[in-house]
Amino acid sequence: MKTWSFLLNPFLTAAKKTYAIALKISTYHDAQLLAHNSDPFFAGLYTSYHPLHLAISAAYSNWKSQGGTQKGSTLTVDQLLDLLSKSKLNTWEYAILGVYQKGTPGYVALFPQGRAAFNRGGKESRIAAVKQLGTSLTGIAALAATKTDVDAFYTQLNTNRTVQLGNKGTTENKSDALDAAINTAMIDMFANYGLMVNHFKTDPEALHPFFDLDSIRNHEQLIFLKSVAANGKSNIMKHTFADTDSIKITNDGTVSLVLYLTNTVDGDALNQKVMVDPNQSQTFPITDLGTTNNTYLNVINPNANAGHCKVELL
């Protein structure tokens, strides 16, 4: 018997499209609950949901900070410190501000020098600032997920000072952690939806502002299959990419393939390209394939036998 549609979780379904969509849906819902938390009803929902959102954000950041890739390499220390300044610190401070207002003793205990210790000075001092933040977060239950993320990032920074780490297995483990965080949060969001149906039972339209309906309803194609003739070239898709996007390329054929961004449907590689060998699945930052002002993703097969690949937008 067909499952009753009202028993299906639309948030979980939407979140399974890509990690980026899952994070977007969660961020929107979390922000709307926070914006309405002067109402005790929504304050309770926010208190319950916010840690789950932080868990998604932390797991997503970990996955991205390790490249979100399966290339056998990881970010350099300089790249990680750049990530710290541009992304990580913002995420951590946002979570902390949800517990301690800026300037309060609790906030100052966590940021005794403000943000400067993370953004200025030598590498060792900046890495030490991350370690100290993780230590200072010990015992703060409301910030447990943030502490986990801080500690994980410190470990990565500390390790990458001397060795090159990160491989396919590591990335897959991080993805498993992110899948688990998304699953838990989307189930809780579905529960929030049910509670809101009851809360707004005389005015169901009032539910809309609390959920990112555009992302939930978006049916954009995310997976593309492409056959490539021997010694041939083919266009996979035309798409507007952002510099932060990633794609997963699975070569399920018998010959190596070269993929790249270019400016026409039959264009050649302009400056950058990636090669994926047979029976390999790798995830790349889109910028590895070229500049994102080029909107055509093409593939070349330089071999005497036909090839095939699957491309997934993440």
Side-chain angles (χ1 to χ4, degrees):
M1 183 173 65
K2 187 177 180 181
T3 302
W4 189 26
S5 62
F6 289 103
L7 299 180
L8 299 175
N9 184 337
F11 313 111
L12 193 57
T13 299
K16 286 181 178 179
K17 295 177 182 177
T18 70
Y19 290 149
I21 288 177
L23 180 61
K24 184 180 179 184
I25 291 171
S26 182
T27 299
Y28 184 94
H29 184 59
D30 185 69
Q32 290 301 312
L33 293 178
L34 176 61
H36 293 80
N37 75 344
S38 59
D39 182 326
F41 173 75
F42 295 108
L45 297 184
Y46 177 76
T47 298
S48 173
Y49 187 79
H50 186 59
L52 305 183
H53 170 67
L54 292 180
I56 290 180
S57 181
Y60 184 86
S61 294
N62 283 339
W63 180 68
K64 291 292 283 186
S65 72
Q66 296 195 26
T69 69
Q70 298 173 352
K71 296 169 61 180
S73 64
T74 189
L75 300 178
T76 67
V77 172
D78 286 339
Q79 288 173 318
L80 288 170
L81 290 174
D82 188 57
L83 180 68
L84 171 66
S85 296
K86 294 180 178 179
S87 175
K88 283 289 188 179
L89 186 55
N90 292 334
T91 299
W92 298 338
E93 187 180 30
Y94 175 81
I96 290 166
L97 287 172
V99 180
Y100 301 116
Q101 291 186 359
K102 202 164 189 175
T104 61
Y107 179 92
V108 173
L110 296 174
F111 292 111
Q113 301 177 58
R115 297 169 61 101
F118 301 87
N119 295 325
R120 301 172 191 166
K123 294 178 183 178
E124 295 298 329
S125 65
R126 295 175 68 189
I127 292 171
V130 176
K131 180 180 181 181
Q132 183 57 47
L133 177 60
T135 300
S136 299
L137 286 166
T138 302
I140 305 175
L143 294 171
T146 300
K147 173 177 170 54
T148 298
D149 190 33
V150 171
D151 290 345
F153 193 70
Y154 166 73
T155 298
Q156 190 181 5
L157 272 169
N158 190 48
T159 302
N160 276 270
R161 284 180 296 173
T162 54
V163 298
Q164 187 179 43
L165 294 178
N167 54 33
K168 180 178 179 180
T170 301
T171 300
E172 288 177 340
N173 290 337
K174 292 297 181 182
S175 297
D176 289 343
L178 182 50
D179 285 335
I182 290 170
N183 188 72
T184 299
M186 294 304 108
I187 289 173
D188 201 72
M189 191 184 296
F190 191 43
N192 287 351
Y193 165 76
L195 292 170
M196 288 185 194
V197 168
N198 182 64
H199 187 72
F200 293 119
K201 57 189 173 186
T202 60
D203 183 20
E205 292 291 323
L207 283 161
H208 288 179
F210 294 92
F211 302 98
D212 184 1
L213 299 183
D214 288 341
S215 296
I216 293 167
R217 293 170 173 171
N218 181 21
H219 297 296
E220 177 186 5
Q221 183 178 354
L222 300 173
I223 297 176
F224 298 79
L225 304 178
K226 178 60 64 173
S227 296
V228 195
N231 299 307
K233 175 174 60 180
S234 185
N235 173 251
I236 298 174
M237 72 179 85
K238 183 178 187 295
H239 184 81
T240 301
F241 294 98
D243 286 345
T244 55
D245 287 344
S246 298
I247 64 170
K248 181 178 180 180
I249 303 170
T250 300
N251 185 337
D252 50 2
T254 60
V255 295
S256 297
L257 299 174
V258 177
L259 290 89
Y260 57 92
L261 292 179
T262 189
N263 53 6
T264 63
V265 68
D266 59 351
D268 296 321
L270 300 175
N271 42 32
Q272 294 168 272
K273 53 186 177 292
V274 298
M275 177 177 286
V276 182
D277 293 327
N279 302 311
Q280 295 294 312
S281 182
Q282 296 179 245
T283 303
F284 298 94
I286 193 62
T287 50
D288 280 9
L289 283 75
T291 57
T292 54
N293 60 315
N294 295 311
T295 56
Y296 293 89
L297 175 62
N298 289 0
V299 57
I300 290 175
N301 176 9
N303 304 282
N305 297 314
H308 189 274
C309 66
K310 179 175 75 172
V311 174
E312 182 178 357
L313 302 180
L314 302 179

